[in-house]
Amino acid sequence: MQRVLSGDHVGFSGGTYYGPVTGMAEHHHHGPAPTATAALPVRPAAFTGRDAAVEQLLAALGPGTGPDGEPVLISAVAGLGGIGKTALAVHTAHAARERGWFPGGALFVDLRGYDSTRTTADQAVLSLLRALGVRDADVPATPADQYALYRSQLAGREPVLVVLDNVSDPAQVEPLLPGEGRHRVLLTSRDTLDWLPTRLVRLDELAPDAAVALVERLLRNTDPDDDRAAREPDALRELCALCGHLPLALLVTTAQLRRRRRRPVSALVEELREAQDLLGTLSHGTGSARDLRSVFDVSCARLGPDQRRLFRLLGQAPVNDVSTRTAAVLTDLTESAVLRLLADLDSASLVTPSADGTRWRMHDLVRAHALGIGRGDLPTERDNDVARARLLAHYARHARAADVQWRASRSALPDGDLFDGREAALAWLDAERAGLVGATAWTDRPGCAEHVVAVGLSLSGYLQQRRYLGDAAAVTRAAREAAVRCGDRMHEGSALTHHANALMKLDRRAEAIVASQQAVAIYTELRVPHGVATASCAVGNALYDLRRFGEALTAFTGARRVFAELGDQDGVANTWNGEGLVLAALGRHREAKKAFLQARSIYADQGNPLWEGITWHNLATALGDLGQVGAALTAFRRAVALLVEVDDWYRVAETHLNVATLVAAVGRDGDAAAAWTAAAVAYDRAGAPDAAADCRRRAADRTGRHDDARG
């Protein structure tokens, strides 16, 4: 076969030909052969957000040495398709050339490792030889000799940077590595290239601010008068979030904005929000380099069957960040077996491990792709359904056990085979919270409704204590819907009661009364007096917040009689506590003090540190209202000790706030400042930085007053 170079011209005009024809091009060379050692692609437009990665690569490409004293010969950029690897490599290569590090030139070859017909090393070496000035007639006949000539050409040059883009296989690269140590190679790949001794830079999606800056610059580059980004900053930020801050998706959406210059950013945001096929909407031309689904399909096609199944099932998880254990449950594999498969997905840049290697994150758009795999295929959908039900059963069992453990005091821990104490239970709940909450949306999935009830009810108290109040309302609502689907009236009543308590904390009092009254009706119908009394307490709490004190007192006292008849001491204590709050609001502080003392005594006997601490706090408030400041401060200190024991830092902070109010009222500004500071520390522990900052401002104000008084 004759090879014809681009630019050659062979004429066949003026004749009639029958059968095969061979044309011979006549070459006329004058002077040395041209070289193409400054053949880097143009620098990417609006390049932004990659400063740290650029510095990492430049540190490796520079004339210095690595930590072992040897030069870093090969650097690599790995990451998800569409993450911006080529842009980073090209930008960095230009920066390195500008620093004068590669006077011998820069060579660039796109190896198309993820195309249907990828470039082989045998093909690439011919391009590299031409770029180095070797004439076609001087190229040896065999690949082995061609590689030898390539290395010889490099040996006679000053340092050269060889950029090999889109590498997917070691066979594409290994023959192209220079033989001389002064040259450098920069690779890009969707795989981590652990088969080569590379200095690896793993590329993730852009930071939110960088994503916004990229879109804004691209719009301005096209039209300096395009001010949509400045006019709609919130919409632009949401647009970037819907794109998962993935550079390829951002480029596509920016192109859509440029095509319709009068279209507001918010209109495109609305289109993406409502899109049935988000990946399709975020693509430009099916099968093209800007078609996200095609980009992800290529990566998935390279996986083995076990890895493909894991990838698909990770897409069924309720969130994009899962533990190794969750992945094992989804696939019904051992953790050691699933770890090997997860490592393969990590190598393919389809998941990202946490720093400690215990959790695995999937990019939102990759997860959307995984979620759609096998849709409409009955065996695949059945496998997905079974995996979800298996995961939810796992969640239900662990959530029930964690609920028992975290409520217990450190001195009276129940036996448990799943968690070694309340700290372990809380740590699991904290780590898995997003997945647990997300899984309660599976009420209509086969085999899931019963487990949704268990998860929702088990999470309610934890979520309320941690102040994830929106989540608490969501999971209790889901538990109620699932109970209705199962025809489980008993758990429907329980879910309504829990839901009412969550609504109360969200200040949705009218809704809380409706939910709790519905629970009372269900328990009355089922003739379950304990349920009626529990729901009546929820009614009382809502009425108290609505300042309907007389009705609230009636609800609490009625519930207390039922609990007493049933021998439920915790229930009796809860109602005494509720009555105390109502009596205090009515100004009947001595009666309130007696009610709180009754509740405190029962909680202490029952070993319930959380509610004992809450009641000490309420008692302290009543004592303060009676003017017994010393006794009130003693009670507040006891409340803090108990609430710290159960890690309820929000209530610890609120207790310190009440101490500050009490001592400030009697002119003890120094003590008030100390209490505000203690409240700030507690809010920090609770994850409420804004509240902590406010407390520190108040502490500073009180400190200033205290200093003025002393002066």
Side-chain angles (χ1 to χ4, degrees):
M1 181 180 75
Q2 182 174 353
R3 184 166 55 247
V4 179
L5 299 178
S6 61
D8 293 338
H9 180 73
V10 181
F12 290 97
S13 61
T16 302
Y17 305 95
Y18 303 92
V21 176
T22 300
M24 180 173 293
E26 185 176 350
H27 302 272
H28 301 280
H29 299 302
H30 304 281
T35 61
T37 53
L40 290 173
V42 66
R43 214 167 193 155
F47 185 82
T48 188
R50 301 297 194 193
D51 292 349
V54 170
E55 289 306 313
Q56 278 184 274
L57 285 178
L58 287 174
L61 293 174
T65 60
D68 57 356
E70 295 295 324
V72 179
L73 301 180
I74 310 171
S75 300
V77 181
L80 177 67
I83 206 74
K85 300 179 295 296
T86 300
L88 172 62
V90 170
H91 176 89
T92 305
H94 278 287
R97 287 275 284 153
E98 288 167 0
R99 295 188 181 195
W101 289 348
F102 297 103
L107 305 174
F108 182 94
V109 179
D110 184 354
L111 293 174
R112 305 184 183 280
Y114 302 93
D115 289 2
S116 55
T117 54
R118 64 189 182 190
T119 301
T120 65
D122 289 355
Q123 294 167 326
V125 74
L126 297 175
S127 296
L128 290 168
L129 285 171
R130 292 186 195 113
L132 291 167
V134 178
R135 300 187 186 283
D136 197 48
D138 297 328
V139 174
T142 66
D145 290 337
Q146 292 163 6
Y147 294 129
L149 178 59
Y150 162 68
R151 286 188 287 273
S152 297
Q153 286 287 319
L154 288 177
R157 290 178 177 268
E158 294 184 278
V160 173
L161 174 62
V162 181
V163 182
L164 302 176
D165 194 29
N166 285 311
V167 178
S168 66
D169 189 281
Q172 288 183 291
V173 171
E174 287 169 337
L176 304 178
L177 299 178
E180 292 287 333
R182 64 179 179 275
H183 304 301
R184 299 287 187 271
V185 177
L186 177 56
L187 314 175
T188 74
S189 179
R190 298 184 195 179
D191 299 293
T192 55
L193 306 173
D194 48 14
W195 31 264
L196 282 173
T198 61
R199 173 76 61 82
L200 184 63
V201 173
R202 296 289 296 266
L203 209 55
D204 209 340
E205 64 265 27
L206 289 170
D209 288 344
V212 168
L214 175 63
V215 175
E216 186 168 12
R217 290 180 190 178
L218 289 169
L219 290 175
R220 290 282 193 183
N221 285 351
T222 302
D223 180 1
D225 295 326
D226 191 336
D227 63 346
R228 284 176 291 180
R231 282 190 286 110
E232 301 179 83
D234 293 340
L236 181 58
R237 190 164 289 275
E238 185 174 357
L239 177 68
C240 292
L242 287 166
C243 293
H245 307 115
L246 186 73
L248 177 56
L250 294 169
L251 291 173
V252 171
T253 53
T254 304
Q256 293 174 352
L257 288 171
R258 283 199 299 247
R259 279 199 301 275
R260 289 175 272 186
R261 296 186 182 184
R262 298 184 184 277
R263 187 185 196 195
V265 177
S266 57
L268 182 53
V269 168
E270 190 64 27
E271 181 182 331
L272 293 177
R273 272 205 220 110
E274 297 177 357
Q276 297 294 316
D277 178 12
L278 181 60
L279 287 179
T281 307
L282 288 174
S283 294
H284 181 69
T286 303
S288 74
R290 293 196 173 185
D291 174 16
L292 283 168
R293 182 171 285 108
S294 298
V295 169
F296 297 156
D297 274 339
V298 168
S299 293
C300 295
R302 293 169 53 81
L303 300 174
D306 292 339
Q307 290 84 350
R308 279 199 297 272
R309 178 172 179 265
L310 170 61
F311 178 74
R312 167 172 55 81
L313 291 179
L314 288 177
Q316 313 306 312
V319 288
N320 68 347
D321 178 277
V322 302
S323 66
T324 304
R325 182 62 188 151
T326 296
V329 172
L330 277 168
T331 53
D332 202 21
L333 296 172
T334 64
E335 288 193 41
S336 59
V338 85
L339 267 173
R340 289 192 291 272
L341 301 179
L342 285 164
D344 293 336
L345 296 187
D346 174 30
S347 180
S349 300
L350 292 171
V351 297
T352 303
S354 61
D356 61 2
T358 62
R359 301 192 69 83
W360 307 83
R361 185 179 69 86
M362 184 178 276
H363 188 277
D364 288 340
L365 296 181
V366 175
R367 180 167 170 258
H369 181 73
L371 190 60
I373 293 176
R375 189 168 288 159
D377 178 70
L378 290 180
T380 300
E381 291 190 345
R382 192 176 303 115
D383 190 39
N384 292 344
D385 287 338
V386 170
R388 278 190 293 265
R390 185 166 53 238
L391 178 60
L392 202 43
H394 165 82
Y395 277 162
R397 179 168 176 253
H398 283 69
R400 279 191 294 255
D403 187 44
V404 171
Q405 288 284 337
W406 80 261
R407 292 176 184 275
S409 70
R410 291 185 174 90
S411 58
L413 285 174
D415 292 333
D417 61 335
L418 295 178
F419 300 105
D420 184 19
R422 64 186 309 278
E423 284 80 8
L426 283 169
W428 182 82
L429 288 166
D430 289 341
E432 298 297 330
R433 176 181 61 86
L436 289 162
V437 172
T440 60
W442 294 345
T443 54
D444 60 343
R445 299 289 189 175
C448 289
E450 178 184 349
H451 301 309
V452 168
V453 174
V455 171
L457 295 181
S458 298
L459 288 181
S460 175
Y462 156 78
L463 291 171
Q464 291 183 55
Q465 190 205 21
R466 288 289 207 236
R467 296 305 193 272
Y468 299 119
L469 301 179
D471 286 347
V475 301
T476 51
R477 182 176 59 249
R480 192 256 177 120
E481 293 170 2
V484 170
R485 185 175 290 272
C486 294
D488 185 345
R489 296 283 281 166
M490 190 75 169
H491 279 120
E492 182 186 354
S494 180
L496 280 164
T497 303
H498 282 273
H499 189 51
N501 289 330
L503 292 171
M504 277 293 305
K505 290 182 172 61
L506 288 167
D507 294 330
R508 293 160 59 181
R509 300 176 184 86
E511 294 173 75
I513 287 179
V514 170
S516 52
Q517 287 174 336
Q518 289 174 330
V520 168
I522 289 173
Y523 285 128
T524 301
E525 171 197 328
L526 296 175
R527 298 182 181 179
V528 181
H530 188 276
V532 172
T534 302
S536 294
C537 283
V539 172
N541 286 326
L543 291 169
Y544 166 76
D545 265 21
L546 288 169
R547 303 187 65 80
R548 292 160 59 178
F549 299 130
E551 295 169 82
L553 193 59
T554 299
F556 284 127
T557 54
R560 178 161 52 81
R561 285 193 293 269
V562 175
F563 284 133
E565 290 171 5
L566 296 172
D568 181 349
Q569 288 301 295
D570 270 345
V572 171
N574 286 341
T575 53
W576 275 123
N577 197 44
E579 286 181 51
L581 292 171
V582 175
L583 291 166
L586 291 169
R588 295 156 61 178
H589 301 302
R590 294 190 184 281
E591 293 173 80
K593 173 183 173 182
K594 291 178 181 178
F596 291 136
L597 286 170
Q598 291 276 10
R600 186 205 63 186
S601 177
I602 295 172
Y603 286 135
D605 290 343
Q606 296 293 109
N608 189 330
L610 171 61
W611 277 96
E612 186 186 352
I614 292 170
T615 308
W616 271 109
H617 174 277
N618 294 339
L619 174 61
T621 303
L623 292 168
D625 290 335
L626 289 168
Q628 301 174 23
V629 176
L633 291 174
T634 299
F636 276 133
R637 283 194 290 271
R638 182 59 182 151
V640 166
L642 287 163
L643 294 171
V644 166
E645 181 180 339
V646 295
D647 299 313
D648 194 337
W649 292 100
Y650 276 98
R651 286 194 174 99
V652 171
E654 290 165 355
T655 304
H656 285 305
L657 295 184
N658 283 332
V659 170
T661 301
L662 178 63
V663 295
V666 295
R668 293 163 56 177
D669 288 327
D671 291 337
W676 283 114
T677 301
V681 172
Y683 274 130
D684 282 333
R685 291 289 299 269
D690 292 342
D694 182 61
C695 288
R696 288 191 173 90
R697 283 193 295 271
R698 292 172 181 262
D701 179 55
R702 286 290 169 181
T703 299
R705 295 187 194 182
H706 180 57
D707 291 343
D708 289 344
R710 291 172 60 190

